[in-house]
Amino acid sequence: MVAFLRLALRRVAMMPVMILGIALLVFVVLQFSPVDPAFNALGESATPEARAAFAEANGLNDPLPVRYFHFLGQLLHLDLGMTVPPSQPVADRITAAFPLTLQLTLLGLLLAVVLAVLFGVVGAMYRDRWPDQLFRVVSMAGVAIPSFWLGVLLIQQFALNTRIFPTGGYTNPADSFSGWLTTMALPAISLALPVSASLARLVRTSMVAELDRDYVRTARGNGLPPLLVIRSVLRNALVTPLTVLGIKVGYMLSGAVVIEAIFDLPGMGKLILEGVTGGDVALVQGTVLTIAIAFLVVNVIVDLLYLLVNPRIRTV
């Protein structure tokens, strides 16, 4: 336990450094945007003198390092700036939108993990037989299908043709849980299937490798129940997929942005689209930074889970 806490604290202690690096990257990239903040804030009718006064008042003429440290100071106070008129705090917009993106990501992740474990275990148990061959074909097709294209197909089949699900929109779970589940089902499936297909292949490969080990043959020879053996094998086999899960969650966070646009969900994807089309640098900067930090936090959590399921690495 002491070794685990030491490694966990080491992972957490690195987070502020990585957040500073992420903030620097996002800030520098967006500083080279051709968008003129003064033009967006004041409108087309603003005179050159008014734009120059706006730039001076907002520090746009300061050197890049000065603006970066000013940006960091705002971040420490959770101030991400204001949107273009009508002005609203970017932090308030993100606070309203991020929970939906998080809901979609977690729902898609839950579905992806369940399907990956199910298909991977069944494929390993029926190695090289027809269930395994079927799951291999399905998983290869799932990996090859982009989530946004799958979303369009699901809308056409289950929303337009059969009308089982709505084509888009969002229902708050506090108002109607069944309505929330109905509106989130197709987006979650679109997000989950490609990830589950990739993870299922990893689970299947790891399971096959574990099933061939001596301790499994010994356990079976001693008459242990098959479910107990499979549970032990699965715990050891999940070590490798867990190392990939953090990257997959990051993919799902970024993929959720595209899926939200397809299904008209008012999440982070809508904010990014609004910021890009409206030339709102502060809004784009805030949303991208939030998603990047969320990706970092998820990877740290996955690292901690990896330490829990793989005690051998605690000695490193």
Side-chain angles (χ1 to χ4, degrees):
M1 180 58 69
V2 175
F4 170 75
L5 290 177
R6 185 174 63 251
L7 289 173
L9 289 175
R10 189 185 305 170
R11 298 289 197 279
V12 174
M14 287 297 298
M15 286 186 62
V17 178
M18 290 186 283
I19 289 175
L20 285 175
I22 291 172
L24 177 62
L25 179 62
V26 172
F27 177 80
V28 170
V29 169
L30 289 178
Q31 290 308 305
F32 291 99
S33 170
V35 176
D36 183 5
F39 177 83
N40 286 336
L42 302 177
E44 299 180 3
S45 59
T47 63
E49 292 78 11
R51 294 181 187 176
F54 177 88
E56 184 65 28
N58 289 273
L60 299 179
N61 296 328
D62 294 338
L64 191 62
V66 174
R67 281 183 283 162
Y68 174 64
F69 283 110
H70 178 68
F71 172 64
L72 289 181
Q74 290 180 309
L75 284 183
L76 290 177
H77 295 87
L78 301 180
D79 181 7
L80 296 174
M82 304 291 290
T83 63
V84 296
S87 296
Q88 292 178 295
V90 172
D92 291 349
R93 298 290 305 276
I94 292 176
T95 301
F98 186 70
L100 189 148
T101 301
L102 189 61
Q103 292 171 26
L104 177 57
T105 302
L106 292 179
L107 188 60
L109 178 64
L110 176 63
L111 181 60
V113 170
V114 170
L115 292 177
V117 172
L118 177 62
F119 290 163
V121 170
V122 172
M125 295 299 297
Y126 292 90
R127 186 190 323 180
D128 296 329
R129 285 181 277 178
W130 72 265
D132 185 26
Q133 299 294 341
L134 176 62
F135 289 151
R136 284 186 187 182
V137 173
V138 172
S139 64
M140 285 190 291
V143 171
I145 296 177
S147 58
F148 64 87
W149 186 67
L150 179 61
V152 173
L153 292 181
L154 292 177
I155 290 176
Q156 182 177 1
Q157 181 61 37
F158 295 103
L160 297 177
N161 293 343
T162 61
R163 300 185 182 276
I164 298 176
F165 297 99
T167 57
Y170 175 71
T171 300
N172 195 306
D175 299 330
S176 171
F177 181 78
S178 60
W180 172 79
L181 199 58
T182 301
T183 55
M184 297 292 282
L186 293 185
I189 293 172
S190 305
L191 201 59
L193 286 185
V195 175
S196 66
S198 177
L199 286 177
R201 300 176 68 181
L202 287 174
V203 173
R204 187 258 179 200
T205 302
S206 298
M207 283 286 294
V208 168
E210 288 295 322
L211 287 172
D212 289 337
R213 294 187 180 275
D214 292 337
Y215 77 90
V216 177
R217 288 190 288 267
T218 302
R220 287 172 171 172
N222 290 333
L224 289 180
L227 288 179
L228 183 60
V229 175
I230 292 300
R231 188 178 66 178
S232 300
V233 170
L234 180 61
R235 179 174 179 176
N236 294 330
L238 287 180
V239 172
T240 300
L242 264 179
T243 61
V244 183
L245 185 60
I247 300 175
K248 294 298 181 182
V249 174
Y251 162 80
M252 296 183 79
L253 271 171
S254 59
V257 171
V258 180
I259 295 299
E260 287 170 359
I262 295 175
F263 288 90
D264 193 28
L265 297 174
M268 298 292 281
K270 185 176 181 179
L271 288 189
I272 291 179
L273 184 62
E274 178 184 333
V276 171
T277 56
D280 194 334
V281 175
L283 186 58
V284 174
Q285 185 172 258
T287 50
V288 171
L289 184 61
T290 302
I291 292 175
I293 292 176
F295 173 62
L296 172 62
V297 172
V298 167
N299 274 272
V300 171
I301 294 175
V302 172
D303 283 345
L304 297 181
L305 291 176
Y306 183 58
L307 293 176
L308 285 175
V309 301
N310 188 14
R312 290 171 297 180
I313 201 174
R314 300 178 199 173
T315 59
V316 178

